[in-house]
Amino acid sequence: MIPTVDSEDISQVTSLKEKHNLTSDVRDSSENSQVAIQSNNRDITVNMLIKELVFCIALALTTYGALHNTPSKVSKHPQAVRFFDSESVVTDWYRGQLANALAAVNLADVSFIMYYAPWDAESQHVRSEFEKAANVLNDRVHFSAINCWNPGSECRLQHNKIPSWPILMAYTVNSRGVLYKGPRDAHHMVHFLGLVMKPLERVSSTEDLVNLLSIYDAVAVAYTPLTDTSKYYNVWYNVALKSHEFDTVGEICFAVVTSAELAVDLGVESLPNAQLMLWNDTKEFKTENENRSWNESTLMQWVLENFSQPVARIIPMWKKSFSFERYADGSPMLLLFTPLNPMYEQLPSYSLLREVAMEYYNCKNNDTNQWIAELIKLQQVQRLIYQQKNFYKFCQEYKVKKPIRKQKKNFYDNYEQCHLFEDNDSKITKMDTDKENVGTTMLPREDDPLSAEGLIQGNVEHLCRLSRFAAELGPPISPAKVTGGNITHIDGLSCTGNTSLHMIAVDSVQNHHFPEALGIDIAREKDMTAVVILDSRHGSQYVLAEEYSAKSIRDFIYNYTRNELRRSLRTQVADAVHTHYYGLNDVIGGDDVIGVADLTSRTFRRFVTAPGTVSLVAVCGGSCGAHASRALLGAARLLSRCGVPARAARLDAARHDLPAHLDAHLYPALLVFVADGSGEADSRVYPLSERVSSGGLVALALRSLGVPHHLRARVALCSATSNIEKKACLRDIREHISNLIGTNLKYWRRTDVRELKDSLLRRLQHLNQISLHLSLLHSTDLKENNLKQKSLLDAVGALANAWRIDVSVLRKNSTTTNRTR
Amino acid sequence: MCDSCLTIREYSKEDILKLREEVREMFQHAYDSYLRYAYPYDELRPLSCDGVDTWGSYSLTLIDALDTLAIMGNYTEFNRVVNLVLQKENFDTDINVSVFETNIRIIGGLLSAHLLSHRTGLELEPGWPCNGPLLRLAEDVAHRLIAAFDTTTGMPYGTINLRFGVPPGETSVTCTAGVGTFIVEFGTLSRLTGDPLYEEVAYNALKALYHHRSPIGLLGNHIDVMTGRWTAQDAGIGGGVDSYYEYLVKGAILLEKPELMSMFKEAREVIDKYLKKDDWFVWATMLRGHVTLPVFQSLESYWPGLLSLIGETDTAMRIIHNYHSVWKQYGFTPEVYNLGTGEASSSRESYPLRPELIESIMYLYRETRDPILLQMGEDILRSIQHSARTQCGYATIKDVRDHRKEDRMESFFLAETTKYLYLLFDPDNFIHNPGVHGTVINTPNGECIVDVGGYIFNTEAHPIDPTMLYCCHESRQGINISEVHRIYQILEEEDNIQFMTMIDASVNKTVNNTSMNDNKETFVNDSLPPVVNQSNEISEDEKKKSEKDELIKTESKTGYVNIDGTEIEKTKNETILSDIVKERINTYYEKVNVKGEQEVEKFYPRKENENKVAIDDIIVIQSSQEAENVQVPSTTKAKESLKMLPKVIQEFLNSDWKSKQKCEPQYMLERIRKEKKYPEHPDVHKYQLLLTPAPSFLQRISLAGEFLNKKQLEL
């Protein structure tokens, strides 16, 4: 007795607890969770019941008390463990010791911190990239990682609401930190840290400025003469630093003119001042008349608002974003997919498109026409010089320990600004000469890393290390050389048509999925470079067939504007490594497994125009539904059994484009093709409002085949059915024939074209013949070698010869759509 | 654990397979632990390493996990467990169970195991798939649940006793999902066994819900099945409602019922209007649509997967990015996430290893193959591996904010979460067959083509092959001859109209105009038997009139062009002609549809009569039906008075109730058919509703989280 009550009581208590925890949802709906409470109570008497009641209360109290003290088992939160290896160059504060971590940050000039959550997949992934970056830069940057999730830890208490992990922050001695929002791979991180370490370019001559303009999409210059406090300069420095939160790859070059004389030379009158030099315009930061003051936020806002570039560089961040939105305004888009390695100072294939774009947009009526034309030339020269440089060779030779200075001098003859150690070099050269004259107690130059020589050497080594690191991601890419033929000029072409192209560049190494989704097997393209035009208005895309070069890209744009391009059909990149496919595996199984041909844009035409068969094609978006596939297979089998060779196929319209006239708006679209032997195929679509069934598909196929074929197959079909249905089946055919006679009579009456009347008459004669034979046919005659059936089929054969009607007689008077039967 | 292994963000085929094997290991760990520590209890307790009965005592986890074994290819274990399950002859035990849970987990599990057993080499009974021990077992359970539907509204009770039917004192309040989540399993059961009872009862419950929608079209989340009064009037798409919408779509596809899709599309419009805020879905009052609770529930995550089934992947992707952002914040999705504060609700902060998010990811990846979805999948895998794994199984996360574990592993972890994860990482699984091959099986009904892909998962992730239903239900000796004839005639008529138009265009203009109408008339007479009623004729006359007007217009145009030049004339003429053809074909179709509907209307009552007669012949007196009708409400009254007494006494007083009258399913079915409480849905034959829209052109660069806004896509 007692144990029963006891266990029951507990189960009641637990079930009550559940009720409390889990309310009003389906899975756990509380009224559903009462389980096995009423069990064997049926036979007990009232007497026992009262006893039980007493027990019950007593036990309920005790168990409740007991359970109250130890609620159902709950484990502790996961214990913090090391996230990075103990040997790693990254300092791992895995218990979330924020104060300690920040203390370490304060000791370093530049530090890069990763706030992670140990369970987070992205953090786990970034861990290795972070470490890679640390291995490259750890002599210049302090790398730390903090577990900022660990419950109860210092970091968690301070930063309680981190929406997504990990958070990467770069700190410099005098900044509040720059949030890194770029791609989370080692190369982008290293490049970003380079920008953080040296956010400003110093302009000491007009040539410097010209040089920067020829390299970057835009240059923001501030004119801040050095004063005692350097207040203006500091503000500008911070703006430059902060700008990399938004511009992680350094598309805008921040430069500074610190000499008042040069500022005057450059036409700047009031100081401080800032200019944003764009490809087609120069914006002035006006402090006086627009009530703006020289502070970080207004400057930042000003730069970001005014920035524009001829070719937009889109870096998909792999989270919800709308980067393409601005460019999808109905105008066509030109997309360049090419490796945009952040570590290289210049990207010739990108620069080429930029030149082309500037040319394309450079309309004659513009005031800045001249300026743009010159800038294009400048950039072109810059690009050609850069393409000839060979860092790899330089670094190799450097290792051989030739006299450093000479070597470098040569190198610098054609090596321009906005580069890591140009300034250092010239400064150091001067200092060197001074030092030799004075003679000090300094340590001998050899073995001293802080000596001038040592610093230069260290710098070069660093540069070489970076360029080796850059090469890991991919070699420098430059567009193909133009060997022969005139280059088409496309100056101002954008103004000639109604719409102009938007030009966009996307990295093809990390975002190869984009070209692959457009049906371009980017990994196999030379240099992983491809150009596509997407014309959303006409729903077509064009792919540059030739190799990407100054000539081919211009021709491509030119031909597009003149509508001379051929639409290219997107097709599944079958063996693209990363966008793999559902269902391409070979079918394994016994004889009872039957296949459906899986068509692509390429195989589609050949399949449907194959003579002698009827092709049933299901056009599905993604995978086909069960009922459509079943109907398709069933229809093909049935047709084959009735003597009509038929093949079933499917096409995934989400990966494969069809010729424009076959575009479907609803999936699955079921099409039947009857090849006429001349390489063309007549197609017919399944009526949308009808239920998809094999019967319907058979009817569609028979209809496309023409009446004589249809009759033959229908007879065969009737003989294939069960005896009960044979009668009905024959009745259907008879009804059909009389309908046919009716309609043809109607045609005959209506038309007044002589030839047509004649051929209709011939038709009618044969149809009457068939009708006669059919009425003689009994359902038991539907077997092989039956005479009645044979004569019927002969009559059908005779009809086949007379059936064809030349509709061109009708077309003489008026034209209409193509099909007649 | 997996701290040493690196997360992969870019996946080669090998990486995918590595992840797949990790999921398999995950399943195996939990499954083995269940067998070792918990079987034959319902669930494993992963912290205390023992078992516990939760939803019934029918070894729930074992049955629920059965088809996961088949999907992962562990056929020997599948066969072993099937034999283990089959040792149970029926579910005749005196326990109270949730109708909803038993249906989706037990019936769903048994049905899918039954349908999958041809792959695993299990010995099949003759007549499979329309016959078999697992099917019989599933029917046995369904038969025990059917009594719950014996209510005044046709909507089921929430709880039932497997032996004795609806327990006394049982509340008549059921959640919306508990009413509308039967059509997939019951439809399958009916079509496989041939007994229409289950499908009709489930369909009736769905119609009842639809009938009780608010004036603006929303549904609340709890309803009194006796009075049809909404007891909880918050409308949303999450807990309490979720699978109702899910089953409208899945039922429509599985059973080819366009009216269900129509119901869903209607509901969806309202949901988008009142509940959708910035790609989140909130809760609102069902009467006015005023927002009451701005929260996201973990259970809502099924929605994007559902949208992908109706071809709206772009919208689905936007939504899933939102849902995934919650996952990124906590590592799990809390049961309730407050959208206002951006934090997990402090009272509903657990994560019982729910599958909905991964389910949607799986569906969407299958459709879009967007690699970002693999990353989302891996995020889920890593979090579970890191924080939910225990010595013996995987534990519910009690608090997503600090990842404490609770001593429970729901059976859907093995049935759904691991299954969907596995399927995400197994692109070549037979489940994903996009329709590139099928299997021919021979049944007493003749030859059937099955296994062509397009499996429909019930809400507990039990896959059902729609072709098997067709096989047992409709496939008559291969082919439906009358269907061939019917469609052929439709197509022929289309062609006739075209040819006629062509001829007409060639003859004299004035003759053309009049004769056209003649033709029309004759044609109408041809195609429509004298059934046409007056109103129809009027509308047709009007149509004809307008047509005439238009024709005259076009004529004047051609005349004008004739003077101008020949070149232009041709093209113009052509477009006009094809327009005429289109128009005529459209009017033809309208007529056909009218005809079809009329036929249905005409035949329907007759059928009813026949049926009634037939059943009256077999089954006794009609008075019992009436008695039953009266009796149902009276029991509720009794119940209410009973509720006031203490529980033990209630039970005592009711000790003899179990021997009393039981629900007789056939009577109930008869009553439902006779009462016809809920009108037939007008879209019964609109098969076009089952088609999915093609994506717009620019959607091809909508990848890896990049979106364009709606208007741009439509350009």
Side-chain angles (χ1 to χ4, degrees), chain A residues 129 132-133 136-137 180 183 185-195 197 216 248-250 313 339-348 386 391 415 418-420 461-477 507 510:
Chain A
E129 295 293 322
K132 244 192 256 172
V136 174
L137 282 182
Y180 177 63
D185 65 284
H187 291 87
H188 276 95
M189 287 188 215
V190 168
H191 176 65
F192 168 76
L193 289 172
L195 292 172
M197 284 189 275
Y216 292 95
T248 53
V249 290
R313 194 194 303 204
L340 299 174
N341 189 332
M343 298 290 294
Y344 292 124
E345 191 202 2
Q346 293 183 40
L347 299 161
Y386 185 82
F391 290 95
Y415 195 74
C418 235
H419 192 277
L420 275 171
E461 268 167 18
H462 178 68
L463 181 78
C464 287
R465 192 164 65 215
L466 287 187
S467 77
R468 270 197 306 279
F469 183 61
E472 281 174 23
L473 193 63
I477 305 290
D507 177 42
Q510 283 185 330

Side-chain angles (χ1 to χ4, degrees), chain A residues 698-709:
Chain A
V698 166
L700 183 71
L702 293 178
R703 185 66 213 159
S704 336
L705 276 171
V707 171
H709 267 96

Side-chain angles (χ1 to χ4, degrees), chain B residues 524 528-541 591 594-595 597-599 601-602:
Chain B
V524 166
L528 284 182
V531 206
V532 192
N533 59 31
Q534 278 187 336
S535 66
N536 249 325
E537 246 162 5
I538 290 164
S539 70
E540 259 160 28
D541 280 346
K591 274 169 212 150
V594 168
K595 189 179 143 199
E597 270 161 38
Q598 273 170 351
E599 261 170 32
E601 276 164 35
K602 212 180 73 188

Side-chain angles (χ1 to χ4, degrees), chain A residues 633-749:
Chain A
L633 274 171
R637 274 172 84 78
L638 193 70
L639 281 169
S640 308
R641 231 181 293 153
C642 297
V644 181
R647 295 184 298 171
R650 71 176 283 278
L651 182 125
D652 181 356
R655 331 272 162 245
H656 302 280
D657 286 336
L658 278 178
H661 69 279
L662 291 173
D663 268 349
H665 299 292
L666 290 172
Y667 298 137
L670 298 163
L671 304 167
V672 166
F673 294 86
V674 179
D676 57 4
S678 65
E680 287 303 314
D682 207 0
S683 72
R684 184 114 198 222
V685 191
Y686 194 81
L688 293 176
S689 54
E690 291 302 319
R691 181 182 169 194
V692 174
S693 65
S694 15
L697 266 169
V698 166
L700 183 71
L702 293 178
R703 185 66 213 159
S704 336
L705 276 171
V707 171
H709 267 96
H710 162 236
L711 287 175
R712 204 185 290 270
R714 274 292 271 281
V715 174
L717 200 61
C718 284
S719 45
T721 51
S722 67
N723 281 327
I724 319 139
E725 290 194 344
K726 271 183 183 155
K727 249 188 187 152
C729 184
L730 282 178
R731 199 178 53 230
D732 282 351
I733 301 186
R734 283 188 204 114
E735 186 198 323
H736 168 69
I737 291 288
S738 37
N739 275 347
L740 209 55
I741 292 175
T743 46
N744 275 296
L745 264 175
K746 220 186 292 163
Y747 295 156
W748 185 82
R749 253 185 266 127

Side-chain angles (χ1 to χ4, degrees), chain A residues 22-174:
Chain A
L22 318 157
T23 43
S24 77
D25 71 63
V26 202
R27 288 269 143 85
D28 306 320
S29 65
S30 51
E31 69 265 17
N32 296 337
S33 63
Q34 304 170 334
V35 171
I37 297 168
Q38 302 105 331
S39 46
N40 35 19
N41 281 351
R42 220 173 345 156
D43 325 313
I44 49 172
T45 62
V46 185
N47 207 2
M48 287 175 89
L49 207 128
I50 292 164
K51 271 190 200 166
E52 193 178 318
L53 211 67
V54 175
F55 263 110
C56 220
I57 293 161
L59 274 165
L61 284 173
T62 45
T63 26
Y64 181 72
L67 282 171
H68 196 74
N69 288 338
T70 52
S72 88
K73 223 168 175 176
V74 171
S75 80
K76 286 194 195 115
H77 61 77
Q79 286 308 300
V81 289
R82 249 182 195 291
F83 196 60
F84 283 84
D85 251 6
S86 46
E87 293 103 60
S88 168
V89 291
V90 179
T91 324
D92 186 4
W93 305 95
Y94 62 95
R95 289 201 186 86
Q97 308 98 308
L98 187 65
N100 295 1
L102 290 181
V105 164
N106 283 335
L107 292 178
D109 284 341
V110 181
S111 28
F112 198 39
I113 310 293
M114 169 176 168
Y115 297 88
Y116 65 85
W119 45 263
D120 176 53
E122 183 75 13
S123 300
Q124 291 170 18
H125 170 71
V126 173
R127 170 170 59 185
S128 64
E129 295 293 322
F130 194 72
E131 195 154 357
K132 244 192 256 172
N135 284 332
V136 174
L137 282 182
N138 73 328
D139 54 343
R140 296 177 178 226
V141 179
H142 167 75
F143 284 82
S144 266
I146 308 174
N147 177 353
C148 208
W149 176 81
N150 194 27
S153 71
E154 201 182 329
C155 190
R156 173 80 185 256
L157 292 175
Q158 291 225 7
H159 304 282
N160 203 12
K161 248 179 122 173
I162 293 179
S164 171
W165 305 91
I167 302 276
L168 295 166
M169 289 280 271
Y171 296 92
T172 59
V173 188
N174 43 12

Side-chain angles (χ1 to χ4, degrees), chain A residues 25-28 31-32 34-35 38 41 49 73-75 77-78 119 121-122 124-125 127 149 156 161 163 165 316 318-323 325 328 512-514 518 536 539-541 570 572 578 580-582 587 592-596 621 623-624 626-627 630 634 637-638 641 650 652 655 657 665-667 684 687 690-691 693 699-700 703 710 714 721 725 732 735-736 739-740 743 747 750 752 810 813-817 820, chain B residues 3 7 9-11 54-55 96 98 100-101 158-159 240 242 253-254 256 279 318 322 328-331 341 348 354 356 365-367 369 371-372 379 382 386 398 401-405 407 410 427 432 434-440 447 452-453 459 470 474 476 479 481 483-486 488-489 491-492 494-496 499-500 502 505-507 519 577 589 648 651 687-688 691-692 694 697 700 703-707 709 712:
Chain A
D25 71 63
V26 202
R27 288 269 143 85
D28 306 320
E31 69 265 17
N32 296 337
Q34 304 170 334
V35 171
Q38 302 105 331
N41 281 351
L49 207 128
K73 223 168 175 176
V74 171
S75 80
H77 61 77
W119 45 263
E122 183 75 13
Q124 291 170 18
H125 170 71
R127 170 170 59 185
W149 176 81
R156 173 80 185 256
K161 248 179 122 173
W165 305 91
W318 291 73
K319 62 181 187 195
K320 195 176 192 176
S321 57
F322 296 85
S323 316
E325 199 181 71
H512 55 86
H513 314 85
F514 285 83
L518 295 173
S536 56
S540 40
Q541 73 177 45
R570 174 177 59 140
Q572 163 83 31
H578 304 299
H580 54 272
Y581 184 36
Y582 280 114
V587 181
D592 51 353
V593 174
I594 47 175
V596 180
S623 49
C624 292
H627 289 295
R630 192 241 319 127
R637 274 172 84 78
L638 193 70
R641 231 181 293 153
R650 71 176 283 278
D652 181 356
R655 331 272 162 245
D657 286 336
H665 299 292
L666 290 172
Y667 298 137
R684 184 114 198 222
E690 291 302 319
R691 181 182 169 194
S693 65
L700 183 71
R703 185 66 213 159
H710 162 236
R714 274 292 271 281
T721 51
E725 290 194 344
D732 282 351
E735 186 198 323
H736 168 69
N739 275 347
L740 209 55
T743 46
Y747 295 156
R750 180 66 37 80
D752 48 7
L810 283 176
N813 297 32
S814 78
T815 47
T816 181
T817 37
T820 55
Chain B
D3 280 335
T7 308
R9 297 270 95 172
E10 195 167 333
Y11 309 86
T54 50
W55 294 106
N96 289 353
S98 152
F100 170 86
E101 300 289 348
T159 305
D242 49 0
I253 299 172
L254 180 72
E256 291 186 278
D279 291 332
R318 287 160 201 270
N322 280 0
K328 291 285 289 175
Q329 186 176 350
Y330 289 111
T341 59
R348 310 267 322 266
R354 282 200 191 284
E356 279 77 10
Y365 183 64
R366 183 153 83 175
E367 293 307 309
R369 281 181 238 153
I372 201 166
D379 286 347
R382 288 285 155 258
H386 181 275
K398 178 156 177 55
R401 291 167 299 190
D402 56 19
H403 293 197
R404 275 178 300 149
K405 290 185 274 281
D407 199 8
E410 291 251 25
H432 295 315
V436 292
H437 57 83
T439 310
V440 180
E447 184 188 279
V452 293
T459 191
Y470 182 85
E474 282 182 75
R476 274 177 288 153
I479 188 81
I481 294 293
E483 180 76 2
V484 178
H485 187 65
R486 196 174 68 81
Y488 190 87
Q489 282 195 318
L491 295 168
E492 189 171 36
E494 242 181 68
D495 288 349
N496 280 345
F499 196 74
M500 225 38 178
M502 216 156 77
S506 72
V507 292
N519 158 35
L577 265 175
Y589 270 118
V648 190
E651 271 165 29
Y687 285 99
Q688 195 168 345
L691 303 181
T692 56
F697 177 75
R700 57 186 67 185
L703 195 71
E706 293 299 334
F707 291 100
N709 71 38
Q712 289 167 333

Side-chain angles (χ1 to χ4, degrees), chain B residues 248-506:
Chain B
L248 285 181
V249 173
K250 289 180 172 174
I253 299 172
L254 180 72
L255 308 172
E256 291 186 278
K257 277 184 175 293
E259 66 270 28
L260 295 182
M261 194 62 95
S262 170
M263 283 156 74
F264 175 75
K265 289 195 169 157
E266 191 188 325
R268 172 142 186 258
E269 259 170 40
V270 187
I271 288 170
D272 282 355
K273 186 171 170 196
Y274 292 105
L275 307 182
K276 190 173 175 182
K277 309 274 176 226
D278 220 3
D279 291 332
W280 294 98
F281 292 90
V282 297
W283 291 81
T285 57
M286 62 178 284
L287 292 173
R288 293 288 167 80
H290 296 316
V291 177
T292 51
L293 272 177
V295 296
F296 156 67
Q297 294 188 343
S298 177
L299 282 167
E300 284 166 18
S301 320
Y302 75 101
W303 191 257
L306 200 61
L307 291 185
S308 85
L309 285 182
I310 59 166
E312 301 206 8
T313 48
D314 186 63
T315 318
M317 284 300 290
R318 287 160 201 270
I319 298 171
I320 208 161
H321 271 278
N322 280 0
Y323 293 174
H324 184 67
S325 72
V326 177
W327 188 281
K328 291 285 289 175
Q329 186 176 350
Y330 289 111
F332 299 101
T333 42
E335 290 284 57
V336 173
Y337 177 82
N338 193 321
L339 296 174
T341 59
E343 274 174 355
S345 149
S346 47
S347 56
R348 310 267 322 266
E349 72 293 341
S350 66
Y351 172 74
L353 306 173
R354 282 200 191 284
E356 279 77 10
L357 187 61
I358 185 68
E359 171 187 358
S360 285
I361 289 171
M362 195 277 290
Y363 279 122
L364 278 169
Y365 183 64
R366 183 153 83 175
E367 293 307 309
T368 64
R369 281 181 238 153
D370 188 338
I372 201 166
L373 291 163
L374 290 176
Q375 298 191 352
M376 293 183 185
E378 203 192 5
D379 286 347
I380 291 175
L381 178 63
R382 288 285 155 258
S383 294
I384 294 180
Q385 289 284 45
H386 181 275
S387 299
R389 191 175 171 116
T390 68
Q391 276 296 306
C392 43
Y394 287 83
T396 291
I397 299 298
K398 178 156 177 55
D399 186 342
V400 296
R401 291 167 299 190
D402 56 19
H403 293 197
R404 275 178 300 149
K405 290 185 274 281
E406 199 178 329
D407 199 8
R408 182 150 194 216
M409 183 178 87
E410 291 251 25
S411 73
F412 53 68
F413 177 69
L414 288 181
E416 300 191 70
T417 314
T418 49
K419 188 185 287 160
Y420 285 128
L421 266 174
Y422 184 86
L423 284 174
L424 174 68
F425 296 128
D426 188 17
D428 296 333
N429 199 287
F430 70 92
I431 291 279
H432 295 315
N433 178 2
V436 292
H437 57 83
T439 310
V440 180
I441 55 170
N442 282 304
T443 71
N445 283 339
E447 184 188 279
C448 286
I449 297 164
V450 297
D451 195 21
V452 293
Y455 285 83
I456 297 295
F457 287 91
N458 86 340
T459 191
E460 186 77 3
H462 297 304
I464 308 282
D465 185 350
T467 56
M468 304 257 189
L469 273 59
Y470 182 85
C471 180
C472 296
H473 184 59
E474 282 182 75
S475 169
R476 274 177 288 153
Q477 301 283 359
I479 188 81
N480 190 340
I481 294 293
S482 55
E483 180 76 2
V484 178
H485 187 65
R486 196 174 68 81
I487 303 276
Y488 190 87
Q489 282 195 318
I490 290 171
L491 295 168
E492 189 171 36
E493 214 46 65
E494 242 181 68
D495 288 349
N496 280 345
I497 292 167
Q498 211 164 36
F499 196 74
M500 225 38 178
T501 322
M502 216 156 77
I503 290 177
D504 290 344
S506 72

